[in-house]
Every structure is written in structure tokens, then in C-alpha cells.
Amino acid sequence: MVCLVSSPLPLEASTTKLQTLYASNQQNLSTMPQLPENGAPVGRRRGGTSRNDCPALNIPLTALVPGQETLDNFQGSTSFLAATISEYPTFWVYIPELPSNIRNGEFILQNEIGEDIYRKSLKLPPVSGVININLPSEPQYSLKLGQKYHWYFKIYCGLENSESKYFYVDAWIERIALTKNIDREIKSVKSHKYLAYFHQKIWYDAITELGQLLQTNSQDNTLKTDWAEILKSINLSDIAQEPVLTTESQR
């Protein structure tokens, strides 16, 4: 089993739809293996205010990654290192309901020593929901095997990008090799590859596979249920029912 995060806490899947769909592969997702401490870097999963210059939010900006919550204190929310097998992964963020004058966001990807690899400014959607940021399929942006990368998502609170006025989240990602065992398991579940990724703790590919299916099949109850269960498994129940926005709905 591949070790992905720095926390000793397990990723606990509930005993509903995820288990049912995975039963054909005779896997049990109700009890995931313990994940040992490995000194991996951590980040900030929930984005509160910066220097009290941004408005209060009912639900904060959230990175859809494994992490740990501090009771009743989103400022203490921690994001954990998670894995991908993709050379050009996709990143997922929950955008909360915002005042109409807050519409500027920015995604930043850096290497382990803090050098920028990719930086993209973007207009935020007019409605709350989950959005995705795709890493362009160009050689200069590719993730190297075995290396850790640090990513940020910022929401600026003014008309211009001011470094003193923003919400932000940050997390870490590592690209791992696709082994024969992982490849065999992925192929065995066919249309539900996200279940194999989830079981193998390849988080970014699990959430991307399922999220992209939801973007094209938004009324599929099985996909909606599995999306909710996967988010609940990493203690993000408060956004488990929020919509996954398509590219069109983000404009």
C-alpha cells in the first residue's frame, strides 16, 4: 500500500454506496489502513481571512484534499500531502458564496523549494460550488516522479490582486509511479476507476475521475452519492452536497 499523507489518521470511507459498487472486486473500503507519520509537509485546507481585510464567510474556501480539522476553528484546518499518478494532474477547490465585487482568483504551483512552475489568474464563478484547475499538458508543467509540489489557491478581496487582502488555501502533491498492482486494480473496476484510486489512496486521481464524471452526468444519483461519501471520508461533510461546476457554469 502506498503511503500518501503525513497524518496517522485513516481515510475512513462510509459503509454505503462506495462499498456496494466495489463489492465485485471483493474489496472492503469501510476500514482503510493506518497511514504512518512520515514527516511529509502540510498546508492549510480551509481559507479564512487575511489580516481581517476580507468579509466573513459561512463556509470557507476549501481545498478538496485529505486533512484534519480543528474543532470549531477553520483557521486551524490542516491539509496533508496526497498522491497522483498523473503527469498533469487536476486540482479541486470549493468556492464559497462571495460578495459580487470579489471575482478574482489565482492558482499557483511551485516545486519543493518554492520556485513557480505554473501560475494562472482566473475569474471566479458567480455561484458557489466546486471548481477544477487543470495543469496544462506542456512539458514545462509536468510533475516529475517522486517529487513533491506545493500548490496555492487565492481569492482576492478587491478589484486588484492585493497581497494583503485575500483568502487562501495550500496543499502538497506528489507524483508516484503506476505499479502493476495499481494498474491491474484500476482496470478491474472499468467505469468506476475512482474507486480503485480511492482504495489505493491516489487521492488526486480519485477526485478528478469522479468529479469529471459528475460534470457530464450531474443528475446521476450514483455519482452524486459517491462524491458525497468520498468527501465525508476526509471530513468535508459540510461541502459534500455542494455542486460540481462545469466550465460553462464557472463563467
Side-chain angles (χ1 to χ4, degrees):
M1 182 62 67
V2 179
C3 172
L4 298 188
V5 303
S6 61
S7 168
L9 300 175
L11 297 178
E12 295 179 354
S14 68
T15 57
T16 57
K17 200 66 177 180
L18 287 174
Q19 287 177 292
T20 303
L21 285 177
Y22 215 68
S24 61
N25 203 40
Q26 298 181 343
Q27 300 287 349
N28 182 5
L29 296 186
S30 62
T31 304
M32 301 298 285
Q34 288 288 110
L35 299 172
E37 291 278 3
N38 62 0
V42 298
R44 174 175 174 158
R45 188 163 72 163
R46 304 276 197 169
T49 59
S50 172
R51 303 181 189 176
N52 298 317
D53 290 324
C54 294
L57 302 173
N58 292 328
I59 302 176
L61 171 69
T62 305
L64 271 61
V65 295
Q68 185 173 6
E69 302 292 317
T70 300
L71 187 63
D72 297 328
N73 180 14
F74 286 136
Q75 299 288 347
S77 177
T78 301
S79 65
F80 297 148
L81 172 70
T84 181
I85 58 172
S86 175
E87 191 174 2
Y88 304 99
T90 298
F91 304 82
W92 298 80
V93 178
Y94 169 71
I95 305 297
E97 184 176 354
L98 297 166
S100 60
N101 65 320
I102 298 180
R103 284 294 171 265
N104 295 321
E106 185 178 32
F107 173 81
I108 304 162
L109 179 67
Q110 298 179 338
N111 62 21
E112 199 165 359
I113 61 174
E115 298 171 333
D116 279 6
I117 293 174
Y118 180 67
R119 186 181 286 258
K120 179 180 176 62
S121 297
L122 64 160
K123 291 295 182 181
L124 302 176
V127 295
S128 61
V130 174
I131 68 168
N132 61 292
I133 304 96
N134 299 315
L135 197 61
S137 300
E138 300 176 21
Q140 65 268 35
Y141 306 129
S142 66
L143 302 194
K144 310 306 179 189
L145 282 171
Q147 293 188 21
K148 299 179 180 67
Y149 297 86
H150 195 184
W151 65 273
Y152 298 81
F153 190 91
K154 296 181 178 181
I155 292 179
Y156 293 98
C157 299
L159 295 177
E160 297 183 1
N161 294 359
S162 170
E163 286 299 316
S164 66
K165 300 180 180 180
Y166 60 86
F167 302 104
Y168 82 94
V169 292
D170 69 299
W172 289 80
I173 182 172
E174 180 178 7
R175 184 184 168 205
I176 62 171
L178 176 62
T179 65
K180 290 182 179 179
N181 286 340
I182 295 174
D183 188 45
R184 187 182 307 114
E185 185 171 342
I186 291 169
K187 290 176 179 177
S188 73
V189 291
K190 298 179 181 178
S191 62
H192 296 106
K193 291 190 292 184
Y194 58 88
L195 296 174
Y197 290 132
F198 181 81
H199 180 255
Q200 292 287 346
K201 293 185 171 55
I202 306 174
W203 173 259
Y204 284 91
D205 301 80
I207 198 75
T208 295
E209 178 77 17
L210 181 52
Q212 289 177 344
L213 287 172
L214 265 175
Q215 286 176 325
T216 56
N217 303 276
S218 61
Q219 300 307 310
D220 188 307
N221 288 330
T222 295
L223 296 177
K224 289 164 68 175
T225 298
D226 286 352
W227 177 265
E229 297 301 338
I230 284 181
L231 290 188
K232 288 177 183 177
S233 78
I234 58 167
N235 298 316
L236 290 180
S237 298
D238 59 331
I239 61 171
Q241 302 300 326
E242 295 292 330
V244 178
L245 303 178
T246 63
T247 302
E248 290 73 21
S249 61
Q250 294 178 36
R251 292 172 181 169

mmCIF file of all heavy atoms in Angstrom, residues 163-187:
data_model
loop_
_atom_site.group_PDB
_atom_site.id
_atom_site.type_symbol
_atom_site.label_atom_id
_atom_site.label_comp_id
_atom_site.label_asym_id
_atom_site.label_seq_id
_atom_site.Cartn_x
_atom_site.Cartn_y
_atom_site.Cartn_z
ATOM 1 N N GLU A 163 -1.732 41.653 -2.207
ATOM 2 C CA GLU A 163 -1.141 40.619 -1.370
ATOM 3 C C GLU A 163 -1.565 40.738 0.088
ATOM 4 O O GLU A 163 -1.316 39.845 0.889
ATOM 5 C CB GLU A 163 0.388 40.666 -1.479
ATOM 6 C CG GLU A 163 0.917 40.125 -2.792
ATOM 7 C CD GLU A 163 0.550 38.662 -3.018
ATOM 8 O OE1 GLU A 163 0.655 37.857 -2.085
ATOM 9 O OE2 GLU A 163 0.136 38.335 -4.139
ATOM 10 N N SER A 164 -2.222 41.824 0.464
ATOM 11 C CA SER A 164 -2.654 41.982 1.852
ATOM 12 C C SER A 164 -4.126 41.643 2.045
ATOM 13 O O SER A 164 -4.605 41.631 3.174
ATOM 14 C CB SER A 164 -2.391 43.422 2.323
ATOM 15 O OG SER A 164 -3.195 44.331 1.605
ATOM 16 N N LYS A 165 -4.842 41.374 0.963
ATOM 17 C CA LYS A 165 -6.278 41.147 1.049
ATOM 18 C C LYS A 165 -6.674 39.920 0.233
ATOM 19 O O LYS A 165 -6.989 40.030 -0.944
ATOM 20 C CB LYS A 165 -7.057 42.371 0.559
ATOM 21 C CG LYS A 165 -6.785 43.646 1.349
ATOM 22 C CD LYS A 165 -7.598 44.814 0.813
ATOM 23 C CE LYS A 165 -7.322 46.086 1.606
ATOM 24 N NZ LYS A 165 -8.113 47.232 1.094
ATOM 25 N N TYR A 166 -6.642 38.758 0.869
ATOM 26 C CA TYR A 166 -7.027 37.554 0.151
ATOM 27 C C TYR A 166 -7.329 36.418 1.118
ATOM 28 O O TYR A 166 -6.863 36.401 2.252
ATOM 29 C CB TYR A 166 -5.933 37.122 -0.835
ATOM 30 C CG TYR A 166 -4.594 36.813 -0.195
ATOM 31 C CD1 TYR A 166 -4.322 35.546 0.325
ATOM 32 C CD2 TYR A 166 -3.600 37.777 -0.127
ATOM 33 C CE1 TYR A 166 -3.096 35.259 0.904
ATOM 34 C CE2 TYR A 166 -2.374 37.504 0.456
ATOM 35 C CZ TYR A 166 -2.124 36.246 0.965
ATOM 36 O OH TYR A 166 -0.912 35.965 1.551
ATOM 37 N N PHE A 167 -8.157 35.480 0.625
ATOM 38 C CA PHE A 167 -8.315 34.177 1.252
ATOM 39 C C PHE A 167 -7.347 33.237 0.539
ATOM 40 O O PHE A 167 -7.080 33.415 -0.659
ATOM 41 C CB PHE A 167 -9.730 33.611 1.031
ATOM 42 C CG PHE A 167 -10.843 34.478 1.525
ATOM 43 C CD1 PHE A 167 -11.607 35.218 0.635
ATOM 44 C CD2 PHE A 167 -11.168 34.521 2.866
ATOM 45 C CE1 PHE A 167 -12.668 35.991 1.075
ATOM 46 C CE2 PHE A 167 -12.228 35.291 3.322
ATOM 47 C CZ PHE A 167 -12.981 36.027 2.423
ATOM 48 N N TYR A 168 -6.858 32.215 1.225
ATOM 49 C CA TYR A 168 -6.041 31.250 0.502
ATOM 50 C C TYR A 168 -6.101 29.874 1.158
ATOM 51 O O TYR A 168 -6.401 29.731 2.344
ATOM 52 C CB TYR A 168 -4.576 31.712 0.424
ATOM 53 C CG TYR A 168 -3.752 31.406 1.655
ATOM 54 C CD1 TYR A 168 -2.982 30.242 1.731
ATOM 55 C CD2 TYR A 168 -3.750 32.263 2.757
ATOM 56 C CE1 TYR A 168 -2.225 29.949 2.865
ATOM 57 C CE2 TYR A 168 -2.996 31.982 3.874
ATOM 58 C CZ TYR A 168 -2.236 30.825 3.933
ATOM 59 O OH TYR A 168 -1.501 30.536 5.048
ATOM 60 N N VAL A 169 -5.842 28.862 0.341
ATOM 61 C CA VAL A 169 -5.598 27.501 0.808
ATOM 62 C C VAL A 169 -4.326 27.021 0.143
ATOM 63 O O VAL A 169 -3.924 27.538 -0.907
ATOM 64 C CB VAL A 169 -6.763 26.536 0.476
ATOM 65 C CG1 VAL A 169 -8.003 26.890 1.269
ATOM 66 C CG2 VAL A 169 -7.066 26.548 -1.027
ATOM 67 N N ASP A 170 -3.657 26.041 0.758
ATOM 68 C CA ASP A 170 -2.488 25.455 0.119
ATOM 69 C C ASP A 170 -2.374 23.991 0.517
ATOM 70 O O ASP A 170 -2.861 23.582 1.582
ATOM 71 C CB ASP A 170 -1.213 26.219 0.448
ATOM 72 C CG ASP A 170 -0.796 26.081 1.910
ATOM 73 O OD1 ASP A 170 -1.580 26.494 2.790
ATOM 74 O OD2 ASP A 170 0.302 25.547 2.178
ATOM 75 N N ALA A 171 -1.776 23.206 -0.358
ATOM 76 C CA ALA A 171 -1.631 21.769 -0.119
ATOM 77 C C ALA A 171 -0.432 21.255 -0.909
ATOM 78 O O ALA A 171 0.137 21.972 -1.740
ATOM 79 C CB ALA A 171 -2.899 21.025 -0.520
ATOM 80 N N TRP A 172 -0.090 19.985 -0.653
ATOM 81 C CA TRP A 172 1.053 19.355 -1.311
ATOM 82 C C TRP A 172 0.607 18.130 -2.102
ATOM 83 O O TRP A 172 -0.336 17.433 -1.723
ATOM 84 C CB TRP A 172 2.090 18.942 -0.270
ATOM 85 C CG TRP A 172 2.810 20.100 0.340
ATOM 86 C CD1 TRP A 172 2.345 20.913 1.340
ATOM 87 C CD2 TRP A 172 4.111 20.587 -0.001
ATOM 88 N NE1 TRP A 172 3.284 21.868 1.643
ATOM 89 C CE2 TRP A 172 4.376 21.700 0.845
ATOM 90 C CE3 TRP A 172 5.074 20.185 -0.924
ATOM 91 C CZ2 TRP A 172 5.573 22.411 0.782
ATOM 92 C CZ3 TRP A 172 6.268 20.894 -0.986
ATOM 93 C CH2 TRP A 172 6.506 21.993 -0.148
ATOM 94 N N ILE A 173 1.312 17.903 -3.200
ATOM 95 C CA ILE A 173 1.020 16.774 -4.080
ATOM 96 C C ILE A 173 2.333 16.101 -4.471
ATOM 97 O O ILE A 173 3.365 16.769 -4.625
ATOM 98 C CB ILE A 173 0.245 17.248 -5.336
ATOM 99 C CG1 ILE A 173 -0.127 16.072 -6.247
ATOM 100 C CG2 ILE A 173 1.038 18.295 -6.115
ATOM 101 C CD1 ILE A 173 -1.062 16.469 -7.391
ATOM 102 N N GLU A 174 2.296 14.780 -4.616
ATOM 103 C CA GLU A 174 3.473 14.026 -5.051
ATOM 104 C C GLU A 174 3.051 13.058 -6.143
ATOM 105 O O GLU A 174 2.049 12.351 -6.016
ATOM 106 C CB GLU A 174 4.089 13.252 -3.891
ATOM 107 C CG GLU A 174 5.321 12.442 -4.288
ATOM 108 C CD GLU A 174 5.953 11.710 -3.117
ATOM 109 O OE1 GLU A 174 5.351 11.717 -2.014
ATOM 110 O OE2 GLU A 174 7.028 11.124 -3.293
ATOM 111 N N ARG A 175 3.824 13.038 -7.227
ATOM 112 C CA ARG A 175 3.551 12.069 -8.291
ATOM 113 C C ARG A 175 4.256 10.758 -7.977
ATOM 114 O O ARG A 175 5.462 10.743 -7.714
ATOM 115 C CB ARG A 175 4.021 12.608 -9.646
ATOM 116 C CG ARG A 175 3.653 11.666 -10.798
ATOM 117 C CD ARG A 175 4.192 12.151 -12.120
ATOM 118 N NE ARG A 175 4.076 11.111 -13.131
ATOM 119 C CZ ARG A 175 4.844 11.021 -14.202
ATOM 120 N NH1 ARG A 175 5.792 11.924 -14.427
ATOM 121 N NH2 ARG A 175 4.681 10.030 -15.063
ATOM 122 N N ILE A 176 3.484 9.649 -8.006
ATOM 123 C CA ILE A 176 4.044 8.327 -7.754
ATOM 124 C C ILE A 176 3.936 7.485 -9.020
ATOM 125 O O ILE A 176 3.191 7.825 -9.950
ATOM 126 C CB ILE A 176 3.318 7.622 -6.587
ATOM 127 C CG1 ILE A 176 1.842 7.399 -6.929
ATOM 128 C CG2 ILE A 176 3.465 8.428 -5.292
ATOM 129 C CD1 ILE A 176 1.104 6.528 -5.918
ATOM 130 N N ALA A 177 4.654 6.393 -9.046
ATOM 131 C CA ALA A 177 4.654 5.516 -10.218
ATOM 132 C C ALA A 177 3.413 4.645 -10.262
ATOM 133 O O ALA A 177 2.873 4.249 -9.214
ATOM 134 C CB ALA A 177 5.904 4.639 -10.202
ATOM 135 N N LEU A 178 2.943 4.367 -11.459
ATOM 136 C CA LEU A 178 1.841 3.433 -11.657
ATOM 137 C C LEU A 178 2.421 2.018 -11.643
ATOM 138 O O LEU A 178 3.073 1.587 -12.581
ATOM 139 C CB LEU A 178 1.141 3.710 -12.989
ATOM 140 C CG LEU A 178 0.028 2.737 -13.382
ATOM 141 C CD1 LEU A 178 -1.103 2.770 -12.365
ATOM 142 C CD2 LEU A 178 -0.491 3.067 -14.782
ATOM 143 N N THR A 179 2.170 1.297 -10.563
ATOM 144 C CA THR A 179 2.690 -0.070 -10.446
ATOM 145 C C THR A 179 1.760 -1.048 -11.148
ATOM 146 O O THR A 179 0.613 -0.727 -11.478
ATOM 147 C CB THR A 179 2.810 -0.475 -8.974
ATOM 148 O OG1 THR A 179 1.490 -0.530 -8.396
ATOM 149 C CG2 THR A 179 3.667 0.532 -8.201
ATOM 150 N N LYS A 180 2.235 -2.274 -11.353
ATOM 151 C CA LYS A 180 1.406 -3.295 -11.990
ATOM 152 C C LYS A 180 0.171 -3.604 -11.155
ATOM 153 O O LYS A 180 -0.915 -3.811 -11.691
ATOM 154 C CB LYS A 180 2.228 -4.564 -12.214
ATOM 155 C CG LYS A 180 3.306 -4.425 -13.284
ATOM 156 C CD LYS A 180 4.052 -5.744 -13.490
ATOM 157 C CE LYS A 180 5.111 -5.604 -14.576
ATOM 158 N NZ LYS A 180 5.865 -6.870 -14.778
ATOM 159 N N ASN A 181 0.336 -3.650 -9.832
ATOM 160 C CA ASN A 181 -0.800 -3.947 -8.960
ATOM 161 C C ASN A 181 -1.863 -2.859 -9.031
ATOM 162 O O ASN A 181 -3.067 -3.147 -9.095
ATOM 163 C CB ASN A 181 -0.330 -4.114 -7.514
ATOM 164 C CG ASN A 181 0.399 -5.421 -7.289
ATOM 165 O OD1 ASN A 181 0.255 -6.372 -8.070
ATOM 166 N ND2 ASN A 181 1.200 -5.484 -6.232
ATOM 167 N N ILE A 182 -1.421 -1.602 -9.016
ATOM 168 C CA ILE A 182 -2.382 -0.499 -9.119
ATOM 169 C C ILE A 182 -3.064 -0.515 -10.470
ATOM 170 O O ILE A 182 -4.285 -0.364 -10.574
ATOM 171 C CB ILE A 182 -1.671 0.856 -8.884
ATOM 172 C CG1 ILE A 182 -1.150 0.946 -7.448
ATOM 173 C CG2 ILE A 182 -2.615 2.014 -9.178
ATOM 174 C CD1 ILE A 182 -0.322 2.186 -7.174
ATOM 175 N N ASP A 183 -2.294 -0.725 -11.527
ATOM 176 C CA ASP A 183 -2.851 -0.760 -12.880
ATOM 177 C C ASP A 183 -3.871 -1.883 -13.016
ATOM 178 O O ASP A 183 -4.942 -1.699 -13.611
ATOM 179 C CB ASP A 183 -1.726 -0.933 -13.894
ATOM 180 C CG ASP A 183 -2.212 -0.792 -15.332
ATOM 181 O OD1 ASP A 183 -2.984 0.144 -15.595
ATOM 182 O OD2 ASP A 183 -1.840 -1.631 -16.173
ATOM 183 N N ARG A 184 -3.577 -3.036 -12.455
ATOM 184 C CA ARG A 184 -4.495 -4.174 -12.516
ATOM 185 C C ARG A 184 -5.806 -3.849 -11.790
ATOM 186 O O ARG A 184 -6.895 -4.162 -12.284
ATOM 187 C CB ARG A 184 -3.834 -5.402 -11.902
ATOM 188 C CG ARG A 184 -4.640 -6.689 -12.068
ATOM 189 C CD ARG A 184 -3.950 -7.869 -11.394
ATOM 190 N NE ARG A 184 -2.575 -8.013 -11.838
ATOM 191 C CZ ARG A 184 -1.504 -7.841 -11.069
ATOM 192 N NH1 ARG A 184 -1.649 -7.516 -9.789
ATOM 193 N NH2 ARG A 184 -0.288 -7.984 -11.551
ATOM 194 N N GLU A 185 -5.698 -3.210 -10.642
ATOM 195 C CA GLU A 185 -6.901 -2.886 -9.883
ATOM 196 C C GLU A 185 -7.744 -1.841 -10.600
ATOM 197 O O GLU A 185 -8.976 -1.937 -10.630
ATOM 198 C CB GLU A 185 -6.524 -2.387 -8.490
ATOM 199 C CG GLU A 185 -7.728 -2.150 -7.597
ATOM 200 C CD GLU A 185 -7.340 -1.874 -6.154
ATOM 201 O OE1 GLU A 185 -6.202 -2.199 -5.757
ATOM 202 O OE2 GLU A 185 -8.184 -1.340 -5.430
ATOM 203 N N ILE A 186 -7.103 -0.844 -11.185
ATOM 204 C CA ILE A 186 -7.831 0.187 -11.923
ATOM 205 C C ILE A 186 -8.610 -0.426 -13.082
ATOM 206 O O ILE A 186 -9.783 -0.118 -13.305
ATOM 207 C CB ILE A 186 -6.863 1.270 -12.440
ATOM 208 C CG1 ILE A 186 -6.299 2.074 -11.269
ATOM 209 C CG2 ILE A 186 -7.553 2.205 -13.426
ATOM 210 C CD1 ILE A 186 -5.145 2.968 -11.646
ATOM 211 N N LYS A 187 -7.967 -1.328 -13.830
ATOM 212 C CA LYS A 187 -8.621 -1.953 -14.973
ATOM 213 C C LYS A 187 -9.761 -2.875 -14.555
ATOM 214 O O LYS A 187 -10.721 -3.085 -15.296
ATOM 215 C CB LYS A 187 -7.596 -2.730 -15.794
ATOM 216 C CG LYS A 187 -6.607 -1.826 -16.528
ATOM 217 C CD LYS A 187 -5.545 -2.629 -17.262
ATOM 218 C CE LYS A 187 -4.589 -1.711 -18.004
ATOM 219 N NZ LYS A 187 -3.486 -2.465 -18.681
#
